[in-house]
Every structure is written in structure tokens, then in C-alpha cells.
Amino acid sequence: MKLILLISLLTMNIGFAAGEKKEKIITEYKKYEKFNLGDLEVKGDLMAPGDITVKERARVRIDNTLYERQEYFDLIKNDFMNMR
Amino acid sequence: MKYLLLFILTTNAWGNPLMERAERFYQSQRESRDIFIARELYKLGFFFAASKFSSNYLINQGLIDEDDANIMHSLLIKTGTHFLLKDKINLGKEHKSFAWIKGQKLLMKNKYPEAETALKSLTEKDFFYGEAQMALGVIYSLQKKNDEALKYYELCRAHTQKTKELSIKHNKLIMYYDLLGQTCQIHQARLLSMKGEFDISIKKYEEIKKTSYIWPQTIMEKAWNYYHMQNYNQSLGMTVALKAPILVDYFSPEAEYLMALSYSKMCLYNDALSIISQYYSNYQTKAQELKTFIDTTKNFSYLEIIQDNEKQIALHPYIKSLLTRIKKQMKFNVELQHYLKAQLELTKLNAINRPSPLWAEVRTNLTQDIKFRGDNLNQMIRNFLVEFINDVFLNSARLFDLNLEIIAKQKDLIYQNQELASDRARGDENQIKKDPLIHYYLFNGEFWADEIGDYSFGLKSNCEIATPPVTAEGV
């Protein structure tokens, strides 16, 4: 009985759809819309810096201690070892 | 002459009473056997053989009388200090020469107070008084007691001058005492430099004659004095003297460093950088050649090479120069003479044909002694060469630091928008700090022997900013 009812319902719908005339749908968009970016709010963590300025890096000046002969102990001892 | 002596020795050997006595002593069991043998060998002129028996006696017995002490002093002069330097030998006060050996041994072990006591016991009449005064100067120098050290170096100089005058007929002795006195003078100059008295130090160096063997080593030390006095032109002039053909054997890696450093102090950065780059290209090859020579010289046969000119032909000229420099060292020279004399003595001993086992032992001892001396000389040469390579690398590292410093200074100028005055004249006589008592000539590319070591550059310091700093508004 249920099956007969379902078949009759389906045949009715097909007959109705075949008989219906296609309606033309026209979609219209807004021609002008204004956004206030300042009012926009993004929720979540910020991943980029807020500005694009570059800070000057502190310049490190390493002074190399240059050798300047101040003493002669090595040569004095060498001379002694070089005696007969 | 050598063959005549050998002939006399061999023909008279059988009836030689000294040899017979030595053989008799050798057979005896007496405790003093060794010193008796040493005496007879000494009388026979076998000094190296005698020194071995003397050394044995000192190790086993220790006590000697004045005559034996005199023999040992003589052996010390004829064969060198080796036989008395052994640790097991405890020298007494029988001879003042022993005090010198004792002091020398203690100083080598850095036992300064004990060495001082031993060396101060020598008086002006003693043979090694001059050497002892120098050694005392060294002890005080190493302890930074400069005034005391200067006093002893002065005593050394005065004594060597006196002894030199007394040894008119002995050229080698005159040369030896000359060198000893000059070494004491150089030590005085070094101490004055360490005290900051650079101008007096330079005067001391200038008293050493240019004909002296040790004069070339004063060039670098004088150059450092001028550097400390901020007379960079003179410092450059001193170091350039080492490039004279006559001083070709005295090239020095430290001279290149000092030259680059002096240029950098005058802000002549391009000149300094050019010296640095030349150093790397020049000394890299030299160090490599020397390293190959050391690695490929088998069985430490440096001594053979140094004695044979033909073996030196294939060597790099600069290795030949280094070997020449070693030959001029006093210690090496004395040791080499003893080594050759010991070989001659062995030839004489080999010609003795006597049945006693004494001669076999003497020959064995002397063969060992010659080997020891040869090894010692080879080691001296090797050490000298290795030290030179180390010196090349040490100065290479110093030049690397200097290179970094120059780059940093050049960067400073860029950061500050500054430039150095680079359009100045390269040489100007007015830049030379002249001594009013000295007449100056212009250098025209020729090295004159009497001028070497007295050069000065005439460069103007470039440490002035050429253009005013450019302001930010001007960009």
C-alpha cells in the first residue's frame, strides 16, 4: 500500500514539473558600498609588525690588541744559552 | 802534520811510559783508578778520553785535589762543559771554574738565588769572571731588578775590555771577548728600552760596531725603540736596512710586521696592506720549503749538510741563509770545533795498536761521545729551523690581527663619512726628525755599507681628515 502511494506521488510530481514554465531570475548587486577600514576588527594574534620601520643596529667595534715589543726576556735568556 | 803526529804516536806507542802507566791503572781495582787514568790520558793529549774518566771519577768519588782540579779546568776549556754538566756530578770548591759551571746549571733550572751565590764567589782573577757577571746580569734581568742587572752588565763589559787587551796575540780570544762584551752591552740597551729610556737605549746600540757579527740583530731592536718614540719614519728606515744585499741572511718575519705596523700608525693603510699581502705570498712558500726540508732530512743529518757545500746546492737560497746564520752562532761554533777535535782524537786512538783493553774502552767511550755531540749539534740546527717556522706563523697571526684593525679603521671612516688626505707627497725631507750632529743624504736605491742601519723614511702621516663630514641635509 505504502509502495503504491509513493509511486503515485512521484508520477504526479514529474507530470507537474514537465507542465511548469521556466521563470527568469535576475540578480542585482549593490552598485556602491563603503567600508570603514578603521572600524574593522580582526580577532586573533597579530603575526606581522605594526609598522615597517627598521631600527639601527648597534655597531660593535672590537679593538684587536696589536703586538708591540715591550720586553726582551726571551732574547736575554737565549743569549745566555748561546754562551760556551 | 796530522800524519806525522799519527806516525810518531804509533811508532812510540809500545815504549810509551805514560801509556803503560795508564794501562796499569786500568788493571788495578783502586777507587781512584779513573782519576789516575784521566791524568795519564791528559798528559798524552787525549783530552776527550780524559774528560770521560774525570766525569766517572766525579760521579763515583767526588773528591779531587788542586792538581786534578786544574786538569779539569783545562779539559773544560779544551772539550767543553758537557762532562761536568751531568746531574749526578756535585761540584765542590776545588776550582773557581766549577762555580761557573754550578751557576750555569742552576740558572738553566731557574734556581736564581742558588745560582747567584755560586756565581758571586768568582773574583776578577778567575777565568770565567766575565761570563759570571753576564750570567748575574741575566738573573737580575729575569727577576726585573733592572738597576742591579745594569751594574753587572757594566762589570762584564769592563772586564771583557781588559781581558781583550791582555790577549793581543790570540785573535780568537779577542773575538770571543769582543762578542761577550757586546752581548752585555746589548742586554744593557734592552733593559733601558724596557725602562722606557728609548733614546739612551739607541745610543747603547749605536756603540756596537757595524762590523760585529751581532750587529745585525741590533737593527730590529733599535727599530722597536724608534717605534715606541713614535718616530715611525726611522722605524721604517731601520727595518728596510734588512733588505740590503749584504744582510740577505738576516731576513726577519718580525721586521715585516713592524713595517706594516709603522705604516698603519701613520694611517698609510694601503702601504700596510701591501706589506701584509706580500708577507703571505713570500713567507708561505718559504715556510713550506723549510718544512719539507725538515721532514725530508733523514736521520737528522743536518750537520752533514751544513759541513758540505755541495749538499747545499739543491737547497732553497733562503734555507742556505738560515744555515749560514746558525754557523755564526757562538755556541754552535764552539760545539762544532769540539766535535771535529773529538773526531781527530778518535783517529789518533785508532792508530794505537796495543793489547790492553783500556784502549778498546777509550775508543768505545769516545765513539759514544762523538755521537752524543753530533746529535746535540743536529738538534741545535733542527731547533733553530723549527723556531724560525714558528716565528713565521706567529708573525702571520700578528699581521692578521693588524689586517682586521686596518679594516675596522677604514670602516670607521666610512661610517663617519670621512676620508683621509691621500693627495699628500710620498716623501719629504722635512718629515725626518733629524739629529743636528748627523749629516743626511738622499737614498737613491743603493745600499752603502756605512749607511746601512741609518736610514729614515720621509713620509707624512696621513692621519688627517681631508673633507669635512657631509651633513644629513646635504644628501
Side-chain angles (χ1 to χ4, degrees):
Chain A
M1 187 63 193
K2 275 182 189 172
L3 189 66
I4 295 165
L5 195 67
L6 184 69
I7 292 166
S8 61
L9 265 172
L10 277 171
T11 48
M12 267 175 71
N13 271 345
I14 290 165
F16 179 76
E20 199 177 25
K21 209 177 179 180
K22 238 182 184 179
E23 194 183 339
K24 197 178 179 182
I25 301 163
I26 297 165
T27 312
E28 278 191 21
Y29 296 97
K30 282 184 183 173
K31 283 181 184 163
Y32 176 77
E33 192 171 8
K34 189 180 176 183
F35 290 97
N36 186 354
L37 291 171
D39 288 347
L40 282 177
E41 221 177 293
V42 182
K43 285 180 181 173
D45 296 327
L46 281 174
M47 297 301 287
D51 55 34
I52 53 164
T53 52
V54 178
K55 280 182 188 169
E56 194 184 345
R57 191 176 53 177
R59 192 165 168 249
V60 181
R61 174 77 161 81
I62 299 167
D63 277 317
N64 291 299
T65 314
L66 296 175
Y67 166 77
E68 290 176 344
R69 190 178 263 286
Q70 305 284 356
E71 44 87 0
Y72 294 90
F73 295 122
D74 54 338
L75 298 178
I76 288 174
K77 193 137 195 193
N78 266 359
D79 280 351
F80 172 73
M81 302 300 268
N82 196 23
M83 285 170 76
R84 64 173 177 178
Chain B
M1 185 64 197
K2 200 164 73 182
Y3 295 106
L4 182 68
L5 197 69
L6 276 173
F7 177 72
I8 293 165
L9 268 168
T10 45
T11 46
N12 290 341
W14 281 103
N16 193 321
L18 293 171
M19 286 187 178
E20 281 169 12
R21 278 176 69 181
E23 286 163 5
R24 269 206 312 280
F25 288 131
Y26 186 73
Q27 296 298 336
S28 80
Q29 298 299 315
R30 291 165 70 176
E31 283 177 348
S32 50
R33 187 192 80 139
D34 285 339
I35 196 71
F36 281 116
I37 298 170
R39 278 181 210 160
E40 303 312 316
L41 289 172
Y42 177 79
K43 286 176 202 162
L44 282 162
F46 296 131
F47 303 123
F48 291 88
S51 69
K52 174 69 182 168
F53 282 94
S54 304
S55 177
N56 286 348
Y57 179 76
L58 286 168
I59 292 169
N60 298 325
Q61 304 300 323
L63 288 168
I64 50 169
D65 61 22
E66 204 186 322
D67 289 343
D68 292 330
N70 285 332
I71 288 176
M72 286 190 200
H73 165 74
S74 179
L75 289 176
L76 187 64
I77 313 278
K78 290 178 194 299
T79 70
T81 53
H82 290 297
F83 78 105
L84 292 178
L85 281 175
K86 288 174 185 164
D87 273 343
K88 288 177 190 167
I89 295 176
N90 192 16
L91 293 166
K93 291 178 180 174
E94 296 85 356
H95 200 285
K96 283 296 178 64
S97 296
F98 294 170
W100 158 241
I101 300 291
K102 228 174 165 176
Q104 208 178 3
K105 267 161 87 171
L106 291 162
L107 177 47
M108 281 176 189
K109 291 178 184 170
N110 298 336
K111 293 181 178 172
Y112 301 137
E114 294 94 327
E116 206 184 306
T117 315
L119 293 167
K120 277 185 178 170
S121 69
L122 278 101
T123 62
E124 213 172 338
K125 287 175 188 167
D126 297 321
F127 191 81
F128 289 108
Y129 178 77
E131 286 88 343
Q133 302 317 296
M134 181 193 162
L136 282 163
V138 171
I139 291 172
Y140 287 115
S141 305
L142 296 176
Q143 295 181 94
K144 298 182 183 172
K145 295 176 183 172
N146 288 354
D147 292 335
E148 282 285 294
L150 283 169
K151 193 183 92 186
Y152 281 102
Y153 287 136
E154 193 52 44
L155 285 172
C156 159
R157 274 184 64 193
H159 180 76
T160 49
Q161 185 59 35
K162 223 185 277 177
T163 321
K164 211 176 76 179
E165 283 160 14
L166 293 173
S167 3
I168 306 164
K169 287 178 186 170
H170 305 279
N171 278 339
K172 279 190 177 173
L173 269 183
I174 292 177
M175 205 190 274
Y176 172 76
Y177 284 112
D178 236 352
L179 279 179
L180 185 62
Q182 285 164 0
T183 308
C184 289
Q185 188 158 348
I186 289 180
H187 284 206
Q188 282 183 317
R190 286 172 182 162
L191 289 185
L192 289 165
S193 176
M194 285 194 263
K195 282 173 83 179
E197 295 173 16
F198 304 116
D199 45 349
I200 308 174
S201 170
I202 289 170
K203 291 271 180 288
K204 281 272 175 211
Y205 282 120
E206 281 173 351
E207 283 172 29
I208 293 164
K209 285 181 191 164
K210 288 186 181 181
T211 49
S212 166
Y213 277 123
I214 52 174
W215 177 77
Q217 68 168 278
T218 64
I219 293 178
M220 270 306 297
E221 298 175 22
K222 260 172 85 178
W224 274 116
N225 275 338
Y226 282 119
Y227 172 84
H228 289 300
M229 290 164 79
Q230 298 180 355
N231 188 349
Y232 303 120
N233 270 321
Q234 196 98 31
S235 167
L236 284 164
M238 295 305 297
T239 49
V240 90
L242 291 171
K243 296 194 188 299
I246 200 171
L247 297 176
V248 72
D249 295 335
Y250 292 92
F251 51 86
S252 154
E254 193 173 301
E256 305 289 326
Y257 170 75
L258 180 56
M259 203 175 234
L261 187 65
S262 300
Y263 274 129
S264 82
K265 286 284 173 185
M266 296 170 89
C267 301
L268 300 168
Y269 299 135
N270 288 340
D271 296 279
L273 290 172
S274 143
I275 297 282
I276 293 170
S277 94
Q278 274 173 32
Y279 180 90
Y280 288 136
S281 58
N282 185 12
Y283 276 96
Q284 192 182 16
T285 334
K286 285 182 175 178
Q288 197 51 52
E289 282 283 342
L290 189 54
K291 197 173 174 299
T292 314
F293 175 66
I294 292 170
D295 292 342
T296 53
T297 308
K298 287 175 187 167
N299 306 323
F300 283 65
S301 53
Y302 304 104
L303 195 53
E304 282 174 35
I305 298 168
I306 220 168
Q307 287 177 289
D308 189 348
N309 285 339
E310 280 188 20
K311 286 185 179 170
Q312 292 179 28
I313 292 171
L315 293 177
H316 192 286
Y318 118 98
I319 297 178
K320 276 191 230 171
S321 298
L322 282 177
L323 295 179
T324 311
R325 228 194 278 186
I326 301 165
K327 279 197 268 186
K328 285 179 185 171
Q329 285 188 353
M330 191 202 295
K331 176 92 173 173
F332 182 83
N333 232 306
V334 172
E335 294 291 328
L336 182 62
Q337 290 309 312
H338 288 152
Y339 172 74
L340 297 173
K341 280 181 185 168
Q343 279 182 328
L344 194 64
E345 190 172 304
L346 184 64
T347 318
K348 282 192 223 167
L349 281 164
N350 283 335
I352 296 174
N353 188 16
R354 293 175 70 96
S356 171
L358 166 71
W359 305 107
E361 189 182 326
V362 165
R363 280 192 283 267
T364 313
N365 287 344
L366 191 51
T367 310
Q368 284 172 357
D369 187 22
I370 290 169
K371 190 180 176 310
F372 171 76
R373 286 172 190 272
D375 289 347
N376 197 28
L377 284 164
N378 270 318
Q379 195 60 52
M380 277 169 83
I381 301 169
R382 191 182 159 84
N383 285 352
F384 181 84
L385 299 177
V386 171
E387 270 172 28
F388 189 83
I389 290 192
N390 289 342
D391 203 26
V392 169
F393 290 127
L394 179 69
N395 282 291
S396 173
R398 286 171 182 164
L399 283 168
F400 181 74
D401 285 345
L402 180 61
N403 202 348
L404 287 181
E405 188 61 24
I406 291 172
I407 292 169
K409 281 184 178 162
Q410 287 178 326
K411 273 172 82 180
D412 282 345
L413 289 169
I414 294 168
Y415 273 87
Q416 290 155 16
N417 286 329
Q418 289 176 336
E419 272 181 21
L420 294 177
S422 55
D423 59 343
R424 85 247 182 275
R426 279 295 293 174
D428 188 350
E429 213 181 329
N430 296 327
Q431 299 303 324
I432 302 170
K433 290 179 187 171
K434 287 184 180 175
D435 184 334
L437 299 173
I438 296 174
H439 183 73
Y440 287 78
Y441 296 93
L442 284 175
F443 179 74
N444 293 316
E446 292 166 323
F447 289 98
W448 290 87
D450 58 337
E451 292 173 355
I452 293 172
D454 294 321
Y455 302 117
S456 174
F457 279 33
L459 300 171
K460 188 183 175 190
S461 171
N462 203 29
C463 299
E464 63 180 90
I465 308 299
T467 47
V470 185
T471 55
E473 289 84 323
V475 177

